[in-house]
């Protein structure tokens, strides 16, 4: 005869089996959705992914486990700013280089070959000009948004400008400032060969924000997110110099 604990356990197992039957199958389509959500929202917990995708946390964890085994995602402890409550910190999941490779195309190889030929034929100045042209669209979008919303945090405006150019950027709190996090990089494969692209981009950030920003990590160097530290004095600087003048 089964006791009450056996009955309770049996009911729990029955509910779990019922939930599993109604979950989406563990196929590539759902895993693609999981990866796309991480790409567009940045490193995420299982609970956040479940909420975005309309799945149970148990279903998301199954997909995360499969993606981790295939090397397409990895995880780390979630960074917490300020005091942290009791209990173990949550883990956040991010795309690896292998996971990001699905979002890049053969055009990267073509661009790398073309830039190598350009550098060989015209020298480093020509390469610098190409790198500068790459960020001109970001600057133009930033100035357009600043003119329309001059009272908005300039770092937030820069993040929106980057997102408009495909970088899926967000502004996050950090010690003694904020961090601009770019969760995607359309030119990551090219920047691995030509780091000038990252250097020009960082200089542009400093110029637009009027502050000595610091690049902490880049996708091109194998990090999960391109991270730029923006010192706390940016808001003071903005008030002193006023809105940027359109060029």
């Amino acid at each position: 005869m089964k006791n009450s604990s056996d009955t309770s356990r049996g009911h729990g197992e029955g509910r779990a089996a019922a939930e599993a039957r109604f979950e989406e199958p563990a196929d590539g389509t759902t895993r693609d959705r999981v990866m796309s959500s991480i790409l567009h929202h940045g490193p995420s917990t299982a609970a956040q992914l479940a909420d975005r995708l309309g799945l149970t946390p148990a279903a998301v964890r199954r997909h995360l486990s499969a993606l981790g085994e295939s090397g397409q995602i990895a995880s780390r402890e979630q960074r917490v700013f300020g005091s942290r409550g009791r209990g173990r910190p949550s883990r956040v999941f991010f795309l690896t280089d292998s996971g990001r490779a699905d979002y890049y195309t053969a055009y990267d190889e073509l661009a790398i070959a073309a830039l190598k030929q350009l550098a060989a034929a015209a020298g480093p100045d020509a390469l610098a000009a190409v790198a500068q042209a790459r960020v001109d669209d970001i600057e133009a979008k930033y100035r357009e948004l600043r003119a329309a919303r001059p009272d908005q945090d300039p770092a937030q405006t820069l993040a929106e400008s980057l997102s408009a150019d495909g970088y899926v950027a967000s502004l996050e709190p950090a010690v003694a400032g904020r961090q601009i996090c770019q969760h995607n990089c359309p030119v990551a494969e090219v920047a691995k060969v030509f780091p000038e692209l990252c250097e020009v981009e960082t200089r542009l950030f400093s110029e637009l924000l009027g502050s000595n920003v610091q690049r902490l990590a880049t996708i091109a160097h194998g990090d999960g997110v391109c991270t730029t530290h923006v010192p706390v004095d940016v808001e003071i600087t903005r008030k002193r110099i006023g809105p940027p003048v359109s060029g």
Side-chain angles (χ1 to χ4, degrees), residues 48-244:
Q48 290 169 334
L49 288 164
D51 184 59
R52 289 189 212 122
L53 300 175
L55 299 172
T56 65
V60 168
R61 282 192 289 270
R62 287 200 301 273
H63 293 300
L64 290 173
S65 177
L67 290 167
E69 290 177 2
S70 66
Q72 292 171 286
I73 66 167
S75 67
R76 58 170 170 74
E77 287 189 359
Q78 186 176 31
R79 297 189 183 96
V80 177
F81 298 96
S83 60
R84 186 171 69 189
R86 295 180 178 180
R88 297 176 60 184
S90 299
R91 298 200 69 78
V92 292
F93 299 85
F94 58 91
L95 298 185
T96 62
D97 281 349
S98 176
R100 291 179 183 279
D102 292 339
Y103 296 94
Y104 301 131
T105 70
Y107 292 114
D108 293 318
E109 297 179 4
L110 179 61
I112 291 170
L115 289 175
K116 284 182 177 179
Q117 291 184 6
L118 177 65
D125 288 344
L127 191 59
V130 171
Q132 182 59 50
R134 179 73 187 90
V135 300
D136 282 348
D137 288 343
I138 298 173
E139 179 177 3
K141 184 62 177 178
Y142 172 83
R143 295 190 182 281
E144 177 186 338
L145 291 175
R146 286 283 286 123
R149 300 194 290 268
D151 293 330
Q152 179 171 275
D153 182 340
Q156 178 62 43
T157 301
L158 179 55
E160 292 178 12
S161 305
L162 289 164
S163 292
D165 208 41
Y167 287 89
V168 193
S170 63
L171 186 64
E172 307 294 340
V175 177
R178 279 82 51 78
Q179 291 180 350
I180 296 176
C181 299
Q182 297 159 246
H183 305 293
N184 184 45
C185 178
V187 296
E189 295 302 303
V190 181
K192 288 180 181 179
V193 182
F194 299 101
E196 294 90 340
L197 296 177
C198 296
E199 294 166 5
V200 169
E201 187 178 277
T202 304
R203 286 199 298 270
L204 175 67
F205 292 179
S206 290
E207 293 170 5
L208 295 181
L209 298 178
S211 178
N212 185 27
V213 306
Q214 182 181 9
R215 183 60 63 90
L216 303 179
T218 65
I219 293 172
H221 288 166
D223 301 299
V225 179
C226 292
T227 307
T228 305
H229 181 74
V230 182
V232 72
D233 65 350
V234 166
E235 181 66 15
I236 299 173
T237 302
R238 182 186 71 81
K239 290 179 178 179
R240 186 177 73 245
I241 67 176

